[in-house]
Amino acid sequence: MGKNTDKLYITHSEWASEDAYSASAGSGVNKSKSSAASFKRLPFNFCAVSLQPFSHPVCTADGTTFDLTNILPWLKKHGTNPVTGLPLKSNELIKLNFAKNDEGEYVDPVTFKVFTDNTHIVALKNTGNVFAYDTVERLNIKAKMWADLVSDEEFSRKDIITLQDPQNIESRNLSSFKYIQEGASTLTPEQEAERNDPSRNLNKAALGNAAKILKAKEAVAAARAQRDPSNPNHNPALPSKSLSALSKDGSAPSRAAHSEKSIPYNAAQHTTGKAAASFTSTGLTPHTSAERALLTDEEYMLKPRRVKTKGYARITTSLGELNVELSPEFAPKAVWNFVQLAKKGYYDGIAFHRNIRNFMIQGGDPTGTGKGGQSIWGKNFVDEFDGPASHDARGIVAMANKGKNTNSSQFFILYRPAKHLDRKHTIFGKVVGGLETLSRLENAEVREIDKRPVEDIVIKEVGVFVDPFEEFQKQKRERDDQEREKEEVKRRGGTEDDRTTWTGKRVMGGGTGGGSNGGGEVGVGKYLKAKGTADEVPETDEVVGEWEQEVMEEPARKKAKLGGAFGNFNSW
């Protein structure tokens, strides 16, 4: 079975040889692949020089796209097209105008179709506007209407530049780019210097005191470069950019720290669902990030255990007044509903339609039948049983309902404990004042048939003294203002007390004690000397000094007294 052998199997070396045979691929299955195997495609939104997404797109007459900030240094150094090697000048570049949707994706400005690597993309030479070829073909070429669909400027067929053609992907083959074949560097001098910096890959946080020396040397070098008259960016009137870019601890700000997106205070636990919806529907714009949904202020406050401030309201009836304490901590929806209806005057003029002695009194129905009423949202809302509240005392205020999750506007007030109502009705308050009024309500004469008072007991007004939700928003605004003030003080360098130690010594910007120089240097800036005045020593290069410990002179040793009566007879 093997090659020129009587083995009943094929060895590994025979399978790995170039002339191996495969039932599915035939002979020569392991021969070296064609040149297409090395094909690497450049995405349409990438610069052909940096091989990174462009921010300021330009193109040549043949449709090669570049980023302006990357192609200009190349043209200044080489003067050629890096892809083809032909001469190229900066005035031959055409600025491209890409349209974007709300998600920041490149789209056709007419049909708003998202550009992909399989879209036939063209640009107009005279305007630089970018379209899908299908749009230009249907609305310009076939209609013989040679005007830009965005700017209405006239153009001709020769002004159409193909940026990407799915049928001709060889034009975007990275392996055919001349500068890649020749191995030419596309880095700017600044990028070359950064790449050649030996300390670029050092973990300075783990170097201890040596990191401070490295940072100080970098600051000194940057200051010298800023003072160098030959430096095109030199401006004596401006402070050193290298020092202003340093953080308070002397280190450069981390890019990751700026890219972190802070979570809003009202972010929900669930996402917007756009990623899942776009994944299952081709009619939606694709979303790849699971962004958290944002709650409204009302939705944010109506979460249990969020608003803990007690609320207070007064129910004025025809038999007296009742002061009610509202508890939004465990029943925020019920309290919100009661407070908002009271502010609207919803309860004004409504009669209590049910009054049972030794049990409760019920009201809040504008129809007076016990079958009506509507919540502030126009629909029933859910029960709230999370808290420890119980129907265990006289004066408990709870929501009346017709079953599970059917709360509307009706409520009742207990005359005596009724533990059997626990986890059946939402408790949102209790009577804390006007118990004598509650007694008058209980003793009012009622009809035996439907327990309705003989003489109507009317709610004249429900006044809200303390709205717990307004208090919560007020406290939140005050906390936000305090945080902003702290950030502003911290940005300015702290308060006067923060800049003075307990010994009365001024603290410099870097956090070390010392005299106030008024310069406000931070980080390694404390090592740089400020520009001297006319009567001071002329300016010299900055150096990092070291503290020299003073050598203390050893005191003279006293002669030791020897024991004995006569000693050594030196005094004789």
Side-chain angles (χ1 to χ4, degrees):
M1 182 176 181
K3 297 180 180 179
N4 302 323
T5 65
D6 56 355
K7 296 178 181 178
L8 298 180
Y9 57 90
I10 298 176
T11 63
H12 176 270
S13 60
E14 292 171 348
W15 272 116
S17 61
E18 288 189 354
D19 56 347
Y21 179 85
S22 170
S24 59
S27 61
V29 65
N30 289 320
K31 284 187 178 180
S32 59
K33 304 294 186 299
S34 61
S35 59
S38 61
F39 175 79
K40 294 182 180 179
R41 183 175 182 175
L42 180 69
F44 77 93
N45 59 334
F46 275 52
C47 171
V49 176
S50 65
L51 306 183
Q52 297 293 327
F54 50 62
S55 301
H56 306 88
V58 294
C59 75
T60 60
D62 60 355
T64 306
T65 55
F66 302 101
D67 193 299
L68 186 63
T69 57
N70 295 317
I71 189 60
L72 288 182
W74 174 276
L75 295 178
K76 184 177 180 181
K77 184 177 180 181
H78 301 279
T80 61
N81 188 328
V83 175
T84 62
L86 299 177
L88 180 65
K89 297 181 181 179
S90 58
N91 56 6
E92 298 176 2
L93 298 175
I94 302 170
K95 181 183 177 182
L96 299 178
N97 302 317
F98 278 89
K100 291 184 178 182
N101 58 11
D102 295 338
E103 305 298 329
E105 298 170 317
Y106 294 113
V107 297
D108 183 277
V110 178
T111 62
F112 295 99
K113 288 185 178 180
V114 179
F115 289 156
T116 66
D117 289 337
N118 297 319
T119 306
H120 192 170
I121 305 174
V122 296
L124 301 184
K125 185 177 181 180
N126 57 336
T127 62
N129 294 327
V130 181
F131 302 91
Y133 180 74
D134 293 342
T135 303
V136 176
E137 183 182 24
R138 286 188 288 108
L139 301 181
N140 291 116
I141 299 177
K142 290 184 178 180
K144 296 182 180 180
M145 195 275 291
W146 299 97
D148 191 306
L149 298 174
V150 175
S151 62
D152 205 28
E153 296 183 26
E154 294 185 358
F155 69 95
S156 61
R157 185 183 291 268
K158 64 180 181 180
D159 292 330
I160 300 177
I161 301 174
T162 300
L163 302 181
Q164 177 180 260
D165 186 0
Q167 305 300 326
N168 182 24
I169 57 178
E170 282 295 330
S171 61
R172 305 193 69 81
N173 186 4
L174 292 176
S175 60
S176 64
F177 289 2
K178 188 174 182 61
Y179 78 95
I180 293 180
Q181 294 175 350
E182 296 177 352
S185 175
T186 60
L187 300 178
T188 62
E190 293 80 4
Q191 292 172 336
E192 289 282 1
E194 181 182 358
R195 179 165 294 187
N196 295 330
D197 185 8
S199 63
R200 183 172 66 95
N201 295 324
L202 292 179
N203 182 10
K204 296 180 181 179
L207 294 180
N209 292 332
K212 298 181 180 180
I213 299 176
L214 290 177
K215 294 171 186 175
K217 288 183 177 180
E218 292 175 1
V220 170
R224 288 175 179 171
Q226 287 294 326
R227 286 203 319 272
D228 186 6
S230 62
N231 185 4
N233 297 324
H234 172 63
N235 187 352
L238 297 178
S240 173
K241 294 181 180 180
S242 61
L243 297 182
S244 62
L246 292 176
S247 60
K248 289 188 177 181
D249 60 352
S251 60
S254 172
R255 182 177 298 178
H258 294 286
S259 62
E260 290 181 359
K261 190 176 181 180
S262 59
I263 300 177
Y265 76 93
N266 58 342
Q269 297 296 328
H270 58 275
T271 64
T272 57
K274 292 182 178 179
S278 63
F279 179 74
T280 56
S281 174
T282 59
L284 298 177
T285 304
H287 292 267
T288 57
S289 60
E291 299 177 355
R292 295 172 65 173
L294 298 181
L295 303 176
T296 63
D297 288 342
E298 177 181 336
E299 293 172 337
Y300 176 73
M301 291 188 296
L302 296 188
K303 295 293 182 182
R305 298 179 177 85
R306 181 154 289 161
V307 179
K308 300 181 180 181
T309 305
K310 298 289 187 180
Y312 293 93
R314 173 176 291 174
I315 303 175
T316 303
T317 70
S318 55
L319 297 182
E321 297 176 343
L322 297 172
N323 294 332
V324 180
E325 181 185 75
L326 306 175
S327 303
E329 182 175 1
F330 298 105
K333 291 184 177 65
V335 174
W336 174 273
N337 177 69
F338 182 82
V339 169
Q340 298 305 318
L341 291 178
K343 287 184 175 181
K344 286 176 54 179
Y346 183 87
Y347 293 119
D348 297 354
I350 294 179
F352 288 99
H353 61 273
R354 191 179 180 201
N355 187 10
I356 304 176
R357 185 175 299 178
N358 294 325
F359 183 33
M360 60 86 192
I361 183 171
Q362 181 177 341
D365 178 12
T367 65
T369 62
K371 300 179 180 180
Q374 195 176 50
S375 71
I376 191 63
W377 299 286
K379 59 182 180 180
N380 295 335
F381 60 94
V382 297
D383 298 322
E384 297 170 295
F385 300 144
D386 292 339
S390 175
H391 299 78
D392 57 355
R394 178 180 175 87
I396 292 293
V397 183
M399 297 297 300
N401 57 43
K402 295 175 288 186
K404 182 179 180 181
N405 298 331
T406 58
N407 301 291
S408 57
S409 63
Q410 295 188 39
F411 63 93
F412 63 88
I413 305 173
L414 286 180
Y415 292 139
R416 57 173 293 177
K419 299 281 289 184
H420 64 281
L421 299 180
D422 288 351
R423 306 197 64 81
K424 293 181 181 179
H425 296 270
T426 300
I427 300 173
F428 66 93
K430 63 180 179 180
V431 175
V432 294
L435 294 179
E436 63 280 359
T437 301
L438 190 62
S439 299
R440 286 196 293 269
L441 294 175
E442 184 178 8
N443 295 325
E445 185 180 358
V446 298
R447 294 185 298 197
E448 291 297 330
I449 300 175
D450 53 4
K451 300 299 181 182
R452 187 182 185 90
V454 175
E455 295 183 4
D456 287 344
I457 303 174
V458 181
I459 300 176
K460 295 182 178 180
E461 181 187 9
V462 178
V464 179
F465 293 152
V466 178
D467 186 342
F469 303 100
E470 289 184 356
E471 292 295 320
F472 176 81
Q473 292 179 329
K474 180 180 178 181
Q475 294 172 4
K476 185 180 180 306
R477 286 193 297 267
E478 292 176 353
R479 289 195 301 267
D480 293 342
D481 293 341
Q482 292 176 359
E483 289 295 331
R484 282 193 291 268
E485 290 177 1
K486 290 181 181 179
E487 290 294 332
E488 183 66 19
V489 171
K490 187 177 180 181
R491 187 182 63 82
R492 294 178 178 177
T495 61
E496 190 67 23
D497 292 339
D498 295 335
R499 293 193 293 266
T500 307
T501 65
W502 64 275
T503 61
K505 207 172 190 180
R506 292 276 296 178
V507 179
M508 298 176 62
T512 58
S516 176
N517 55 7
E521 297 91 347
V522 294
V524 298
K526 61 187 178 183
Y527 293 106
L528 304 179
K529 297 170 62 177
K531 187 175 181 180
T533 56
D535 57 346
E536 291 179 346
V537 181
E539 181 182 6
T540 59
D541 288 346
E542 294 87 344
V543 295
V544 180
E546 297 181 356
W547 293 100
E548 296 182 359
Q549 186 176 2
E550 297 182 2
V551 180
M552 301 296 295
E553 295 183 359
E554 184 179 0
R557 295 183 178 179
K558 295 183 178 180
K559 293 182 179 180
K561 295 182 179 181
L562 301 176
F566 298 99
N568 57 1
F569 299 97
N570 286 338
S571 59
W572 284 52

